[in-house]
Amino acid sequence: MNRKILLIILAVILGVGTVCAQGKGKKSREEMRKEFREFKIKFIAQEIDLQEDKQKQFAEVYDQMCDERMKIFEQTRKLERKINKESNATEEDYASVSRAITEAKEKDAAIEKKYDAKFSTFLSSKQIFKMKAAEEKFRKKMSEMRHKKKNR
């Protein structure tokens, strides 16, 4: 029941965001990203049964982690887009981008390890485990919603 309410709220937020983006009061991409991240943090906090007194600390650390991860993958996505547009890319170009993708994944794993240590100062191991599961669950739900929207 609780999850259904949360999903309904998510749908409303995304719907309102879409309407606002189409209307006069357009939100910037950064505002939309911030609202989306806030919602994700609330979703995860609920999934891991996070106590109210730890929610602010969790949000701050989670935001830092997301920012670090986003920077790494933004660079990699730029390289991927560039090589996909380039019709005469060489084997070395493809090899270079492939290495960059692998390095980004390695850096991401290091970031995850670093933040696991930070989270462990105020979350239990069970909560950290549930956080990872909640992130995956959130990704799947977002993917499902995108596919439903595309198929309309």
Side-chain angles (χ1 to χ4, degrees), residues 56-70:
K56 183 178 179 190
Q57 184 179 13
F58 174 76
E60 289 171 1
V61 174
Y62 195 84
D63 261 345
Q64 292 169 0
M65 181 182 72
C66 288
D67 287 343
E68 283 187 43
R69 292 173 109 177
M70 191 170 69

Side-chain angles (χ1 to χ4, degrees), residues 51-141:
Q51 297 170 349
E52 225 175 285
D53 62 326
K54 294 182 182 179
Q55 287 181 7
K56 183 178 179 190
Q57 184 179 13
F58 174 76
E60 289 171 1
V61 174
Y62 195 84
D63 261 345
Q64 292 169 0
M65 181 182 72
C66 288
D67 287 343
E68 283 187 43
R69 292 173 109 177
M70 191 170 69
K71 286 177 188 172
I72 290 170
F73 288 109
E74 276 180 353
Q75 295 166 356
T76 308
R77 279 191 297 275
K78 284 179 187 175
L79 291 172
E80 287 179 86
R81 282 192 295 270
K82 182 180 175 185
I83 201 163
N84 283 331
K85 288 180 183 177
E86 205 169 299
S87 60
N88 57 350
T90 66
E91 273 299 305
E92 182 54 40
D93 293 334
Y94 284 108
S96 177
V97 174
S98 292
R99 280 192 302 273
I101 291 168
T102 300
E103 288 171 9
K105 289 177 182 179
E106 290 170 349
K107 288 177 184 176
D108 186 50
I111 290 169
E112 188 172 348
K113 187 175 181 179
K114 173 179 137 181
Y115 279 92
D116 280 356
K118 287 185 179 191
F119 285 124
S120 70
T121 63
F122 62 94
L123 295 178
S124 70
S125 296
K126 181 179 180 180
Q127 286 176 310
I128 293 171
F129 175 81
K130 289 174 78 175
M131 175 185 73
K132 293 171 190 286
E135 287 176 313
E136 185 60 29
K137 182 178 181 179
F138 190 84
R139 271 191 288 278
K140 284 181 181 177
K141 291 293 180 191

